[in-house]
Amino acid sequence: MIANGLRPVLLVAVMGFVGVASAQQAQDREGDPPAVIHVEGRVIHFDGLISQASVAKVRALLEADGSLTEFAIQSGGGDVEAGMALGGMIRDRGMDVRVVGDICLSSCANYVFPAGNRKFIERGALVLWHGSLLQKNLLKNFNYSGIERQLGRPPNWLERWSIQRAAKKWFRRALSEQAAFYTELGVDPRITILGHEQGCTCDWTVSVADMAKFGIGSVSADADYAAPGYARWSGEWQLIASDDEAPTATRQ
């Protein structure tokens, strides 16, 4: 049994921790403003944090209007399970995904972008990965600083034990959901840890051709996508190449 008041703290810590490049980035996300979401014609525009609340707003829009066919997104990522839920809605409705602004990062790249029927990357925008639930030692390296801030003190030994137990349970369930999600899409999830496998402690993207090797097909981008001087985003990132063992796409 988790101590009173600790479950919301745990969920914030776990959901913010996995799928980000570092614990510091996870901490930074806690203060992000809510996403700005609106509809123009047949397009849902989404700008900001992927969260349970923002996904609920998208769900309501889709349920109210069956004519919506495109999802235009700019996002630095967010909640893992919310990302999968959002990707599932896009997949189920056969919507196109258009990356606008500067980035589609983390949960956006992991779950929203590959779920699109057709995928468009506007000039200057980047699809960036930096990890997923497949990362090694995620729970071993669990960071308690966010929990300490929310509790106003370090967790005691019983709370730490409860946190670790609940985190393991959540992790097993979420990992199973992620595996099912990628199987449904026909996408090889190794793209979410490709940079780690190559020793890159970075945010990374790959060419459109390499995306297809991992099952992310029907992608349209400029011929110089991710070339030097291409991106609008001011953050650090790298263009990496897939290895020769990446499978042929199972869905185009």
Side-chain angles (χ1 to χ4, degrees):
M1 194 76 170
I2 298 178
N4 289 339
L6 196 56
R7 182 173 293 277
V9 173
L10 168 66
L11 291 177
V12 170
V14 174
M15 299 302 284
F17 176 74
V18 296
V20 296
S22 67
Q24 183 60 52
Q25 283 183 294
Q27 294 166 13
D28 293 343
R29 301 312 305 277
E30 293 175 9
D32 280 7
V36 176
I37 306 167
H38 68 279
V39 173
E40 292 183 7
R42 295 185 177 182
V43 181
I44 295 181
H45 294 266
F46 185 107
D47 185 352
L49 183 68
I50 298 172
S51 66
Q52 296 293 340
S54 63
V55 172
K57 291 181 181 179
V58 173
R59 181 180 291 108
L61 291 172
L62 290 173
E63 291 175 350
D65 187 349
S67 70
L68 299 171
T69 59
E70 184 175 297
F71 194 79
I73 186 167
Q74 172 177 250
S75 175
D79 184 308
V80 170
E81 290 183 301
M84 284 191 276
L86 181 55
M89 287 188 285
I90 290 169
R91 175 200 65 210
D92 292 346
R93 288 165 175 79
M95 299 181 73
D96 297 333
V97 170
R98 184 178 299 274
V99 179
V100 299
D102 53 5
I103 55 169
C104 173
L105 172 66
S106 190
S107 287
C108 180
N110 287 358
Y111 310 118
V112 179
F113 180 71
N117 180 36
R118 294 180 299 173
K119 308 154 190 76
F120 303 94
I121 306 174
E122 291 196 347
R123 177 156 190 82
L126 288 168
V127 178
L128 295 173
W129 288 271
H130 65 197
S132 74
L133 296 174
L134 295 178
Q135 288 174 235
K136 295 179 179 178
N137 300 320
L138 273 178
L139 295 181
K140 180 180 178 181
N141 296 327
F142 193 88
N143 185 283
Y144 289 91
S145 59
I147 295 175
E148 291 180 5
R149 288 200 308 275
Q150 293 181 61
L151 290 176
R153 58 171 173 79
N156 60 40
W157 71 267
L158 179 59
E159 290 169 338
R160 291 174 73 94
W161 176 84
S162 296
I163 290 167
Q164 291 171 354
R165 181 183 180 188
K168 289 178 181 178
K169 182 178 180 180
W170 176 88
F171 182 82
R172 287 193 296 268
R173 176 175 57 80
L175 187 61
S176 176
E177 291 175 0
Q178 178 177 274
F181 177 85
Y182 284 122
T183 296
E184 180 69 22
L185 292 182
V187 168
D188 178 6
R190 285 195 307 124
I191 194 169
T192 67
I193 57 170
L194 181 63
H196 301 158
E197 292 181 337
Q198 297 187 16
C200 175
T201 57
C202 61
D203 297 328
W204 70 85
T205 191
V206 299
S207 68
V208 171
D210 279 345
M211 290 181 193
K213 292 180 181 179
F214 288 87
I216 303 178
S218 301
V219 177
S220 297
D222 283 0
D224 63 341
Y225 173 75
Y230 162 88
R232 284 191 289 265
W233 195 48
S234 60
E236 296 183 3
W237 58 277
Q238 292 185 30
L239 172 66
I240 64 175
S242 71
D243 58 50
D244 294 333
E245 298 178 358
T248 302
T250 56
R251 180 186 177 207
Q252 295 290 342

